[in-house]
Amino acid sequence: MHELVIDVLQLLGYQFFQHALLGGIVAAVACTGIGLFLILRKEAMIADGISHTAFGGIALGLLLGVYPLITALFVSILAVLGISYLKRKGLAQSDSAIAVMLALGFSTGLIILSLVKGFNVELFSYLFGSILTINQVDLLTVFLLGFTTILFLGLFYKELLAITFDEQSAKLTGIPTGVFTLGFNLLVATTIVLSIKIIGIILVVALIVLPGLTALQLRRSFRQTLFASFGFGGVSVFLGIFLSAWFDVAASGVIVILAVVFFIIVALYRRLR
Amino acid sequence: MNDQPIIEVTNLDVERSNSMVIEHATFTVNRGDYVGIVGPNGGGKTTLLLALLNIIPHTQGAIRFFNQDLTTFSQWDRIAYVSQDATNFDPQFPLTVEELVGLGRLNRTTIGRRLHQADRDAVSEALRFMGISDLSHKRIGELSGGQKQRVFVAKALVRNPEILILDEPIAGIDASMLEGFYKKLSDLNAQKGITILLVSHDLTAVFCRMSKVICVNREVNIESITKDTDPNKLLKKAYGEHFHFVFHEHTCQGVFNHA
């Protein structure tokens, strides 16, 4: 026990570990906040679609020698706007529009990959996350995007809640629903991009969906559900980072497994009560 | 009740999916009116409301609220609307009654700010008026049909509206709750002076409790309800010549005795 405490304190002393914890917690709060709204809007798969589309952006950034999260953000925003356009014009339903953008982004990434060899290792870190290797630029990006998301949610959560519950009614009260929906969709893109370094393109949807889904099992008020999802997401990331360092395994995998374990425990608790 | 017009509809046409649903509608609703909107299914009752609320466009004619044309009208705070499918929400949605009614306080001026004590007081007052204060911390998915309706009316009331528009609010309310629900609406109309427009298939309630009736079946006819009103004369225009509503001078007695 004594050794464990010393090891934990030692880990906390490393700058890379502090970066991982800070970035991870910010990403967890942003992801779970956005995620709860996505679940309630029944649009959780948009997170998966956008994250796979971001793959094309990452590949483009590596190809052009530009910071890949910038190009990923640009491509993700285009994808969000594309999905909105396809839906608005009646060209595709939500799930089909997401599938179109996912396929377009991912195939673009694959073509770039096959044309240019040599950055497969770096790409691997974006696909599966590399939280323990995030540098100061990554951390700054996570903070900038994360706090933008958290600030937006903090200021406008009432309006987002009203739109999520009943868009027509919200519109009648004078809330500019179109502006808020666009803003929210842009934040989905932002949140996914900021989480890519933390948990990776493949698993980001898990951090967005699982904590909110777990919190919903508790059947509490909206405010309590939101804070519970922050809690489940934050603890999954916090513990996940420690355990991955401890056992020297992939952090993103551990974080997701922990989030799944929390979901199972809470779901079982609900059934047994 | 007075003769101050607050809704004026002139020669209104409304189309949906390229077919005319409302044709040449002209009517006036005065402050303090309690208006029942009746008509057969698919006759255009909901379409009429949605056009009034500018949710769907009208093809011709004019709508005026509080002497202001709909095209420039922006004081939506003065009007509250409960749609016919308001209660068809996901029962897993994590909202308490208090939180849902609080959403009714939102408007352009509350964007980006926290709700104040005055907002919380208004929520408590609306819950108290509707007799559901004890449900404030209950999740909306756990409510009965009648409780849900009361909650949504409370959400509408919390805005302190001058006009309350309800689209088939009694669906899902059992007979034992119905009386109390109508009593609350009558109180709102009589005590708070709120003008009420209510779509309903409950013809007895409309002719016994309300001051005006609007019959909708593409055509729109409005008439004041007095003890001399012959409901069938009006209803036949909407429901057809073969329609007969059994209504005599004692029909309303039970209703008023319980109210």
Side-chain angles (χ1 to χ4, degrees), chain A residues 36 40-42 155-159 161-162 164-166 168-170 172-176 180 216 218-225, chain B residues 50 53 55 76-77 81 83 86 89-90 92-96 99-100 103 106-108 110-115 139-140 152 155 159:
Chain A
L36 183 60
L40 295 174
R41 292 162 69 100
K42 304 192 191 309
L155 282 175
F156 305 119
Y157 93 94
K158 299 186 311 303
E159 287 74 21
L161 179 59
T164 303
F165 184 71
D166 181 354
Q168 191 182 73
S169 174
L172 267 177
T173 63
I175 296 171
F180 274 106
L216 281 169
L218 296 172
R219 297 183 193 166
R220 314 297 291 191
S221 69
F222 179 78
R223 183 181 281 263
Q224 289 167 332
T225 305
Chain B
L50 295 179
L53 294 164
I55 294 171
W76 292 103
D77 280 1
Y81 168 60
S83 74
F89 52 79
D90 175 3
Q92 302 301 321
F93 204 99
L95 266 184
T96 61
E99 284 177 322
L100 176 65
L103 293 181
L106 301 187
N107 58 45
R108 265 179 202 283
T110 60
I111 291 174
R113 77 154 168 85
R114 294 171 71 89
L115 292 181
R139 276 165 58 99
I140 55 171
F152 278 94
K155 179 175 178 259
R159 308 171 65 73

Side-chain angles (χ1 to χ4, degrees), chain A residues 215-247:
Chain A
L216 281 169
Q217 301 293 315
L218 296 172
R219 297 183 193 166
R220 314 297 291 191
S221 69
F222 179 78
R223 183 181 281 263
Q224 289 167 332
T225 305
L226 185 62
F227 281 104
S229 60
F230 288 155
F232 287 122
V235 172
S236 300
V237 170
F238 191 83
L239 277 182
I241 292 168
F242 270 104
L243 291 176
S244 74
W246 191 265
F247 293 108

Side-chain angles (χ1 to χ4, degrees), chain A residues 28-262:
Chain A
V29 172
C31 277
T32 52
I34 288 288
L36 183 60
F37 282 103
L38 281 176
I39 295 167
L40 295 174
R41 292 162 69 100
K42 304 192 191 309
E43 290 179 345
M45 285 316 290
I46 198 172
D48 202 36
I50 299 298
S51 62
H52 282 74
T53 308
F55 173 77
I58 298 282
L60 190 67
L62 291 172
L63 174 72
L64 301 174
V66 179
Y67 182 50
L69 291 187
I70 297 285
T71 45
L73 182 63
F74 180 71
V75 170
S76 299
I77 287 173
L78 280 183
V80 162
L81 297 176
I83 291 168
S84 299
Y85 179 83
L86 290 172
K87 280 163 61 181
R88 202 174 56 247
K89 294 289 176 189
L91 294 167
Q93 298 277 324
S94 185
D95 53 349
S96 311
I98 291 167
V100 169
M101 287 301 155
L102 183 153
L104 185 64
F106 209 78
S107 54
T108 307
L110 277 178
I111 290 170
I112 294 172
L113 258 182
S114 59
L115 287 175
V116 186
K117 314 274 190 257
F119 50 63
N120 290 7
V121 174
E122 204 174 349
L123 195 67
F124 192 82
S125 79
Y126 289 103
L127 277 175
F128 301 104
S130 56
I131 193 167
L132 295 173
T133 65
I134 57 172
N135 56 34
Q136 283 187 329
V137 177
D138 297 329
L139 190 64
L140 191 68
T141 309
V142 170
F143 267 49
L144 201 68
L145 299 181
F147 281 119
T148 304
T149 304
I150 293 165
L151 187 69
F152 186 91
L153 289 179
L155 282 175
F156 305 119
Y157 93 94
K158 299 186 311 303
E159 287 74 21
L160 288 175
L161 179 59
I163 294 168
T164 303
F165 184 71
D166 181 354
E167 187 164 354
Q168 191 182 73
S169 174
K171 200 173 183 177
L172 267 177
T173 63
I175 296 171
T177 53
V179 174
F180 274 106
T181 302
L182 178 66
F184 177 77
N185 286 337
L186 292 178
L187 283 187
V188 173
T190 305
T191 305
I192 286 165
V193 171
L194 80 89
S195 311
I196 286 174
K197 267 288 186 175
I198 307 294
I199 196 158
I201 286 167
I202 307 291
L203 292 174
V204 66
V205 69
L207 191 57
I208 285 181
V209 171
L210 278 166
L213 214 52
T214 308
L216 281 169
Q217 301 293 315
L218 296 172
R219 297 183 193 166
R220 314 297 291 191
S221 69
F222 179 78
R223 183 181 281 263
Q224 289 167 332
T225 305
L226 185 62
F227 281 104
S229 60
F230 288 155
F232 287 122
V235 172
S236 300
V237 170
F238 191 83
L239 277 182
I241 292 168
F242 270 104
L243 291 176
S244 74
W246 191 265
F247 293 108
D248 194 20
V249 287
S252 55
V254 181
I255 290 168
V256 173
I257 292 295
L258 280 172
V260 172
V261 167
F262 284 134

Side-chain angles (χ1 to χ4, degrees), chain B residues 11-28:
Chain B
N11 206 24
L12 185 77
D13 288 354
V14 186
E15 276 182 22
R16 290 191 95 169
S17 308
N18 294 323
S19 76
M20 192 70 84
V21 182
I22 298 291
E23 199 166 22
H24 309 318
T26 297
F27 63 89
T28 301

